[in-house]
Amino acid sequence: MIGIGKWTGPIDTMFYKGNVTFYIKDAGGKYDFDFDLPAGINKVPDYEFTEIAEDGNTLNIKAKVSLLPGKSVDAALTFDGDTMHGVVKVPFIGKIKVQNFRRVG
């Protein structure tokens, strides 16, 4: 499994600009994610991962999110030691760059 650990870094969207922190965990051989919520955000929308696949040092992720019925959120996160970069594609919002993320735990 790749990318296991606590990650933090900046994002810039129309809804939020600042640092985010999330955890990638090994849940019995399957990936699990937890999110630390930034100040002012009370809840992560309900989500379900429909696909998580490793491609070398990249995790390709597809998820359903309750706020976007019938749509898919797609992410490609590439890991290089204790750094990570990639992109998250969100319907109606567009591409969110994931850059300068660091493993912090």
Side-chain angles (χ1 to χ4, degrees):
M1 297 187 85
I2 59 174
I4 301 298
K6 180 179 179 181
W7 296 89
T8 191
I11 63 167
D12 186 357
T13 73
M14 67 176 78
F15 299 108
Y16 177 78
K17 180 178 181 176
N19 283 333
V20 297
T21 301
F22 65 94
Y23 303 80
I24 302 174
K25 300 178 180 181
D26 177 351
K30 294 184 178 187
Y31 284 99
D32 188 25
F33 292 76
D34 283 328
F35 301 89
D36 283 346
L37 297 177
I41 297 179
N42 298 326
K43 182 181 183 242
V44 172
D46 293 333
Y47 60 91
E48 174 189 350
F49 294 106
T50 57
E51 183 180 327
I52 300 175
E54 297 176 5
D55 182 11
N57 62 343
T58 300
L59 277 181
N60 293 306
I61 303 164
K62 290 187 180 291
K64 294 179 185 177
V65 179
S66 61
L67 294 177
L68 301 167
K71 304 291 183 188
S72 176
V73 173
D74 300 325
L77 305 176
T78 301
F79 302 90
D80 184 11
D82 289 335
T83 63
M84 177 187 61
H85 68 277
V87 65
V88 179
K89 297 176 188 172
V90 182
F92 310 114
I93 294 175
K95 293 180 183 178
I96 300 170
K97 292 181 182 179
V98 177
Q99 302 181 110
N100 302 316
F101 272 65
R102 297 241 171 245
R103 186 188 329 251
V104 292

